[in-house]
Amino acid sequence: MDKNHDKRQQLIFDLLRPGRDAAGGIDPVRPWKRLAAHLNPLIGETGFTALYGRAIRLMQSHYPWLAGEQSMRSTDSLFTNLASQLSSVNATLAAEANLALLDTFSKLLSGLIGEALTIRLLNSAWDDASHQGNAKEQK
Amino acid sequence: MSDKVTLGTLATTVPGLDVLLGGGLSEFSFNLIAGAPGSGKTTLAHQIMFSLAGPQRKALFFTVLGEPPLKMLRYQQQYSFYDLDKVGNSIRYVNLGEDLRMGNFSGVLDRIMREVEAFSPSLVFVDSFRSVVQTAKDGNEGIADLQHFIQELGTRMTSWEATTFLIGEYTQVEAEANPIMTVADGLLYLSQYQERDSVVRKIRIVKMRGREHLSGSHAFRISGDGVRIYPRVLPRVPEMLPKGGSTEASSRIATGTPQLDEMLNGGLPRGHALLVTGPSGSGKTVFSTGFLAEGSSRGEKGVVVFFEKTTPSVRNRKLSELVESGDVCIVESRLLDLAVEELIDDLVKAVQRTGATRVVLDSLSEFGLYLAPECRADIRDAVFRVFSTLAGLGVSVVATIGLEDRVMQADASRAGIAFLADAVVAMRAVETEGRLVRLISVVKVRGSAHSADLREYVITDDGIEIDDRPTGLLPGWLSPRDPGR
């Protein structure tokens, strides 16, 4: 189980690494969009937003500024909100909070559907992200 | 050579299901798996999907507004058939909940087709289809829309060469009257029958176009390995069994009680089911143990089924030695809602695993206590199926049955079970000169002559010892009833 836990964390690190926005900076919301693209067809947008809401709730004591609208139903509105919250603090703190939030979210997911399936989903999201990254580099 | 279309068969490998389906599902068929909540529809659908899906035969599982997908993934993973390696590449889940909430039937159909075209599945599942149906508008227009949607879906899926399964919470009457039924090629109906405190799960193939399927309801159980169905079918009797009346040594087996073998005209005909009747304490279990021990001394394996509150091996030294030596295997049930097919399944597996040639059932009197009330109602039917299956395996059987202590009545035809046995040995006790004397007789042996003696016997540490001559204790003559009484 520890091995799977480490693998999941490594995948989250990897997922956060390649994303860059048009201005060349790190796009903190991009891993979330990748994850949502793979998870929504599987668990539905409702499932995703419910898990996200729970992760935010668990993170509130460490990062009170992450508190947001809990009744949001679309992942797009969640991510817009997250982007604005992360941009309101310094980059180091934002990166740390984003990593912790992704870790908590994936931990909740693995508690429900198991580490093995969660790692598969993170792997798929990572594969897509890296393929898109490579495609951009080739342009 | 026929020009008729040949229906491809998909063997599901779900234990017992292919027997019901006449070999398997028809390829490209459009099926409905119906039943009340908790009847096992989603589990059966998953088991079929994981069994059939692979890189060359991909599966799409659409979840709608039924069981939340997160929960379904969580719980279905617990079954041994759930192969995570297939998820993603060979099996893909797609949630249709949002599409259904947002749009109409045509929107849902378009989404299904988009996903089907993108993934090219050979198997398509929609769970729960009832939630799709429930979004239909009220009135004739809604029904027409729904019928059109179902027909369109059925036609498109079959044209796409996909075998489709719609899963829905329908009662049997609802399912049969539903517009889906006119389009569906197959209807598998799952149910749970409750009587008193026991529940027995049943499956029925109501309809399966193009296949010679088994009709009637068949019991099934859901365990960690998923669904296991117990088809109600009787096996063929093997041809290798000796012909009736043969007294050749090879066609007879020693029972472990030599004097009884003599009364049986040379032993029990091989493959016969011998019913041993007698009151409590008459030595039925002692005789049965001797039967197994005799087999063990000849290198034969045995299987014994006990229907008693504790296994006699705990108190029966000879039997526990046979079990410890590996010559005898015990089949026991701790369940009190047993369907007779489950016992048969356990028995067949034990006989096939050990290569046993002798089987003991001890005793049929308590057998009914282990059966679900629904099966208990007809114990004769249950015993008939057990005997028939064992006959199909070619094993020789000793079954015991307890009788009440009516010392002057040899009630060998109790509950009609004696008619099902090939041979009957009656044990009884009579009171004489201040003591109980035990008597034994051979009541019948199918296709064979046998002794008509009533002989005294005693139970010793070595088993049953029978006198060589008939008893003189009972006169056995008929006397007219006293007209004065």
Side-chain angles (χ1 to χ4, degrees):
Chain A
M1 179 157 178
D2 285 336
K3 197 178 157 191
N4 276 335
H5 174 77
D6 293 346
K7 197 170 177 186
R8 183 169 50 79
Q9 282 205 319
Q10 185 58 50
L11 280 165
I12 291 167
F13 277 122
D14 291 347
L15 202 58
L16 281 171
R17 203 184 304 152
R20 289 184 180 280
D21 63 15
I26 293 169
D27 176 6
V29 173
R30 188 161 168 194
W32 287 102
K33 288 179 179 167
R34 293 273 107 231
L35 251 187
H38 282 84
L39 264 180
N40 282 0
L42 191 63
I43 64 172
E45 207 166 10
T46 313
F48 191 99
T49 54
L51 273 181
Y52 182 88
R54 174 73 178 145
I56 288 278
R57 179 84 181 167
L58 290 170
M59 288 287 95
Q60 263 178 14
S61 57
H62 295 93
Y63 310 102
W65 45 271
L66 269 179
E69 180 63 53
Q70 295 298 311
S71 61
M72 282 183 185
R73 288 201 160 185
S74 84
T75 45
D76 285 345
S77 56
L78 285 180
F79 300 152
T80 308
N81 200 36
L82 177 66
S84 103
Q85 285 166 336
L86 291 174
S87 62
S88 70
V89 295
N90 70 61
T92 313
L93 184 60
E96 181 193 304
N98 199 25
L99 178 66
L101 191 60
L102 257 175
D103 184 42
T104 305
F105 179 90
S106 63
K107 201 185 288 173
L108 287 172
L109 183 64
S110 79
L112 285 168
I113 65 169
E115 285 279 10
L117 197 53
T118 303
I119 286 170
R120 266 159 217 271
L121 286 164
L122 291 173
N123 257 325
S124 308
W126 188 92
D127 279 352
D128 269 16
S130 65
H131 285 147
Q132 288 197 3
N134 289 340
K136 269 187 178 174
E137 281 164 19
Q138 284 164 12
K139 277 181 183 175
Chain B
M1 191 175 157
S2 169
D3 290 336
K4 290 180 182 174
V5 66
T6 307
L7 296 179
T9 303
L10 297 174
T12 65
T13 74
V14 174
L17 182 59
D18 293 331
V19 176
L20 301 193
L21 294 170
L25 290 157
S26 290
E27 211 171 15
F28 317 144
S29 55
F30 193 70
N31 306 290
L32 175 65
I33 301 178
S39 57
K41 302 178 297 297
T42 303
T43 302
L44 178 63
H46 268 83
Q47 202 169 341
I48 292 172
M49 178 169 73
F50 275 90
S51 162
L52 293 174
Q56 305 304 318
R57 194 192 284 134
K58 294 193 279 188
L60 251 184
F61 197 102
F62 291 104
T63 56
V64 197
L65 294 172
E67 188 177 350
L70 257 178
K71 286 190 168 187
M72 198 177 64
L73 287 171
R74 177 175 168 80
Y75 293 121
Q76 289 298 322
Q77 271 185 57
Q78 308 308 314
Y79 294 111
S80 61
F81 61 74
Y82 199 97
D83 182 357
L84 281 169
D85 289 335
K86 290 188 177 179
V87 180
N89 298 323
S90 303
I91 293 173
R92 187 171 290 175
Y93 290 90
V94 175
N95 185 262
L96 285 181
E98 314 294 330
D99 299 78
L100 199 62
R101 213 177 52 210
M102 309 280 284
N104 51 20
F105 286 140
S106 58
V108 173
L109 193 62
D110 286 345
R111 173 75 196 277
I112 290 177
M113 283 317 295
R114 276 204 309 278
E115 295 291 347
V116 166
E117 283 167 21
F119 193 56
S120 295
S122 304
L123 304 161
V124 172
F125 297 79
V126 183
D127 185 11
S128 135
F129 195 71
R130 176 142 196 162
S131 48
V132 177
V133 172
Q134 280 170 338
T135 58
K137 293 179 210 134
D138 288 338
N140 290 337
E141 194 191 342
I143 293 170
D145 280 354
L146 176 63
Q147 279 180 325
H148 176 73
F149 171 69
I150 293 165
Q151 200 173 40
E152 187 89 1
L153 184 65
T155 309
R156 288 204 199 182
M157 289 299 115
T158 304
S159 308
W160 193 260
E161 299 190 321
T163 309
T164 309
F165 300 85
L166 308 180
I167 298 143
E169 298 84 26
Y170 297 102
T171 64
Q172 192 164 328
V173 177
E174 272 182 307
E176 287 177 14
N178 200 286
I180 298 171
M181 277 314 293
T182 53
V183 180
D185 301 311
L187 169 57
L188 291 80
Y189 181 69
L190 311 183
S191 55
Q192 299 192 69
Y193 287 91
Q194 179 170 5
E195 193 173 330
R196 290 163 66 181
D197 293 335
S198 296
V199 170
V200 178
R201 292 179 185 274
K202 296 271 176 96
I203 182 168
R204 191 183 148 211
I205 311 298
V206 181
K207 171 184 182 183
M208 191 55 64
R209 283 185 184 138
R211 303 217 71 87
E212 199 177 327
H213 64 273
L214 274 185
S215 55
S217 293
H218 305 264
F220 73 94
R221 203 171 269 279
I222 301 178
S223 69
D225 292 329
V227 170
R228 180 174 198 90
I229 299 165
Y230 304 97
R232 287 169 43 252
V233 284
L234 295 178
R236 291 173 186 277
V237 175
E239 290 181 0
M240 46 84 169
L241 286 178
K243 299 285 176 271
S246 173
T247 51
E248 283 176 28
S250 64
S251 69
R252 300 271 175 160
I253 61 166
T255 61
T257 306
Q259 302 89 343
L260 183 67
D261 293 343
E262 178 209 323
M263 293 170 77
L264 288 166
N265 220 19
L268 181 69
R270 194 152 54 83
H272 264 37
L274 167 64
L275 183 69
V276 180
T277 72
S280 182
S282 56
K284 299 184 294 296
T285 302
V286 173
F287 172 77
S288 308
T289 308
F291 176 73
L292 293 170
E294 182 66 27
S296 168
S297 71
R298 293 165 187 264
E300 294 177 41
K301 302 286 183 195
V303 170
V304 58
V305 191
F306 285 116
F307 298 106
E308 295 192 356
K309 64 182 187 300
T310 54
T311 302
S313 65
V314 176
R315 293 185 291 261
N316 184 330
R317 184 180 49 80
K318 194 189 259 184
L319 183 63
S320 62
E321 283 171 3
L322 288 169
V323 173
E324 278 170 26
S325 71
D327 283 346
V328 169
C329 159
I330 294 180
V331 172
E332 270 183 304
S333 175
R334 294 287 105 195
L335 299 170
L336 290 171
D337 57 356
L338 202 65
V340 67
E341 292 83 6
E342 291 180 78
L343 170 77
I344 289 173
D345 193 57
D346 286 348
L347 251 174
V348 169
K349 280 194 278 192
V351 168
Q352 289 173 341
R353 190 179 68 245
T354 60
T357 53
R358 294 178 181 230
V359 170
V360 165
L361 307 170
D362 189 22
S363 83
L364 297 179
S365 321
E366 286 83 29
F367 181 26
L369 299 177
Y370 284 81
L371 294 176
E374 194 204 40
C375 307
R376 202 180 296 165
D378 195 350
I379 186 84
R380 187 166 185 259
D381 176 68
V383 173
F384 169 68
R385 276 161 44 194
V386 173
F387 278 1
S388 302
T389 305
L390 292 172
L393 294 171
V395 296
S396 305
V397 183
V398 166
T400 68
I401 188 162
L403 298 176
E404 291 171 22
D405 297 327
R406 293 184 201 156
V407 292
M408 294 306 287
Q409 271 186 309
D411 187 11
S413 298
R414 178 189 167 112
I417 288 172
F419 301 112
L420 303 176
D422 301 306
V424 176
V425 166
M427 293 169 147
R428 54 203 286 209
V430 293
E431 297 166 17
T432 180
E433 296 173 351
R435 68 188 184 99
L436 272 180
V437 176
R438 294 185 172 99
L439 301 171
I440 192 167
S441 58
V442 177
V443 178
K444 84 164 184 183
V445 182
R446 268 193 189 127
S448 170
H450 59 84
S451 163
D453 290 353
L454 197 58
R455 297 191 188 180
E456 291 180 36
Y457 71 94
V458 290
I459 302 170
T460 71
D461 287 346
D462 295 324
I464 306 273
E465 288 181 15
I466 304 174
D467 272 2
D468 293 335
R469 290 172 301 160
T471 182
L473 280 175
L474 299 171
W477 63 68
L478 294 171
S479 55
R481 185 179 284 179
D482 181 353
R485 288 178 72 186

